Amino acid sequence: MTESIFGFCLHIMFHYSTQTLFFKSPPTQLLFAIIKLKIQSLRNGADCLENTPLDSALILKQKYRSLRAAELDEKEILKLLTESTLIQEILSDKHRTDTFTGLRKIEFLLAELSEIPYFEKLPEVQVLLKTLYEYTATADGYSLTGQSKGILACHQAICTLIFIRANEQAWAKKGIDWIINYLPFAKNEATTWQETDLFERFGCVGNTPCYDGLVKSVKALSEYRQKFPSDPILAEKLTQGLNYIMKHRVIFHQDSDDYLYDDLITLFYPYPYRTNIIEVLSLLKKENLLKDPQCQDAIAFIKNKELVNGGWQAEKIFMKSSWIPFDAMKRKGNWITDEINWILS
């Protein structure tokens, strides 16, 4: 990189000196401004070229996705899990259970871990799972306040997804039933849900469904159906939710080419209470819908985000006090690149 910067500077100096502009003001100021920008650009490019070693948890995920899971025995699975620097960092993060934000942190850490196959095999994860269930389960679904009136669509769906991926079918079914019975998947659709304290306060229900909560709830329905026995009622609700997403062409307002909101087109992985284009496309891939014309603009958008030297980078990190980043910002990320490559494959 140093040679590239030095060569560029010599080229610029020669170019301007032959035109009797060098060391004259204001062109000299412009010259050094250009050089400064070029140096920064080259440094950013170098960051993108850095190939950091794959975490063992990502190696496990790649093997799982390549249908080579059958080749993995219990011993190798546990080896890859326990050797993961990322998993160790997540599990060592301190948390508490006596506040909304404390329970949200446990939820977020488990949501991150649930992106890794076989995460539930770790004893420390089992403790976290039981803690999350104990403190969030209500008579109906899941609430970070521990009370039904505090149920929020996004967090309710995240807890449900965690339990699905952890093979806790009975726990997952509670969240699935709440989605089917109470969460609207269409504009101006009424709900019979009465516990509306936080629900209405955060806009989960109104004339238009909260897109974050809807996407995560549809994702929960999709993954539940793929993993456990289900019925036509679940399938009907899932189809309704998928149709709503497709009518919005993944990331747009239904009646215009405007994006629904900025975070939806911001690249980050994994996903907190907010959803984004990567999460929605991954859901649609699992439902074999990516070839649909309604998905093509979103796919083109994410392809255009690819770095010059290949790969993708995280553009945002949510809730830093409750979140362990999988990838560093402003450079090619192994995890986010693997996720997008899988979507586009």
Side-chain angles (χ1 to χ4, degrees), residues 4-19 22 31 35:
S4 298
I5 294 173
F6 180 71
F8 174 81
C9 293
L10 285 178
H11 172 77
I12 292 294
M13 291 170 67
F14 175 78
H15 174 77
Y16 279 98
S17 63
T18 57
Q19 298 185 40
F22 194 67
L31 167 65
I35 293 175

Side-chain angles (χ1 to χ4, degrees), residues 124-135:
E124 302 94 329
V125 171
Q126 284 298 318
V127 172
L128 286 175
L129 287 167
K130 291 173 183 176
T131 301
L132 183 66
Y133 179 79
E134 178 184 351
Y135 284 91

Side-chain angles (χ1 to χ4, degrees), residues 17-188:
S17 63
T18 57
Q19 298 185 40
T20 66
L21 289 173
F22 194 67
F23 295 128
K24 292 183 179 179
S25 183
T28 301
Q29 296 175 349
L30 176 61
L31 167 65
F32 283 104
I34 293 171
I35 293 175
K36 183 178 179 180
L37 286 172
K38 181 62 179 180
I39 290 171
Q40 186 62 51
S41 174
L42 287 167
R43 283 175 176 165
N44 289 341
D47 284 343
C48 294
L49 282 170
E50 288 179 1
N51 291 316
T52 56
L54 295 186
D55 186 272
S56 64
L58 181 53
I59 294 172
L60 175 60
K61 186 168 189 175
Q62 290 177 341
K63 288 186 176 183
Y64 179 83
R65 276 185 169 164
S66 64
L67 302 180
R68 291 171 55 195
E71 301 175 11
L72 297 170
D73 58 23
E74 189 79 4
K75 185 177 179 180
E76 184 176 1
I77 290 170
L78 290 175
K79 182 175 183 292
L80 291 170
L81 288 172
T82 55
E83 289 182 352
S84 167
T85 303
L86 176 65
I87 291 178
Q88 291 171 12
E89 187 176 0
I90 293 173
L91 291 177
S92 65
D93 211 25
K94 295 181 180 179
H95 53 269
R96 53 193 293 183
T97 59
D98 58 339
T99 63
F100 177 96
T101 54
L103 287 172
R104 184 181 62 192
K105 183 172 185 176
I106 295 174
E107 174 199 57
F108 281 175
L109 296 177
L110 280 169
E112 292 191 284
L113 288 166
S114 75
E115 294 292 323
I116 301 164
Y118 310 110
F119 77 108
E120 74 281 1
K121 290 182 178 292
L122 294 172
E124 302 94 329
V125 171
Q126 284 298 318
V127 172
L128 286 175
L129 287 167
K130 291 173 183 176
T131 301
L132 183 66
Y133 179 79
E134 178 184 351
Y135 284 91
T136 63
T138 72
D140 303 284
Y142 295 100
S143 164
L144 294 182
T145 66
Q147 300 177 347
S148 291
K149 66 179 182 180
I151 290 179
L152 292 169
C154 54
H155 291 294
Q156 204 283 146
I158 292 172
C159 289
T160 303
L161 268 167
I162 290 167
F163 297 142
I164 292 170
R165 293 174 173 182
N167 294 309
E168 296 289 352
Q169 184 179 1
W171 297 356
K173 185 67 164 57
K174 178 191 289 287
I176 292 296
D177 287 344
W178 186 88
I179 294 169
I180 292 173
N181 293 329
Y182 299 114
L183 187 61
F185 276 3
K187 291 183 177 180
N188 300 312

Side-chain angles (χ1 to χ4, degrees), residues 221-288:
L221 294 174
S222 173
E223 294 197 18
Y224 187 93
R225 185 176 71 163
Q226 292 168 14
K227 199 161 199 175
F228 304 118
S230 59
D231 55 41
I233 297 175
L234 184 150
E236 182 180 353
K237 187 76 172 181
L238 172 59
T239 299
Q240 183 189 18
L242 291 170
N243 287 341
Y244 187 88
I245 292 170
M246 299 300 277
K247 286 178 182 178
H248 286 78
R249 290 178 294 141
V250 183
I251 53 175
F252 299 97
H253 282 282
Q254 190 170 336
D255 54 357
S256 75
D257 289 333
D258 296 331
Y259 301 122
L260 279 168
Y261 48 88
D262 288 342
D263 281 343
L264 188 59
I265 54 170
T266 301
L267 302 190
F268 51 87
Y269 174 84
Y271 323 102
Y273 69 95
R274 275 297 212 186
T275 191
N276 73 349
I277 184 173
I278 307 173
E279 185 173 29
V280 186
L281 288 177
S282 70
L283 162 63
L284 297 177
K285 180 181 177 69
K286 290 179 179 178
E287 290 294 328
N288 297 313

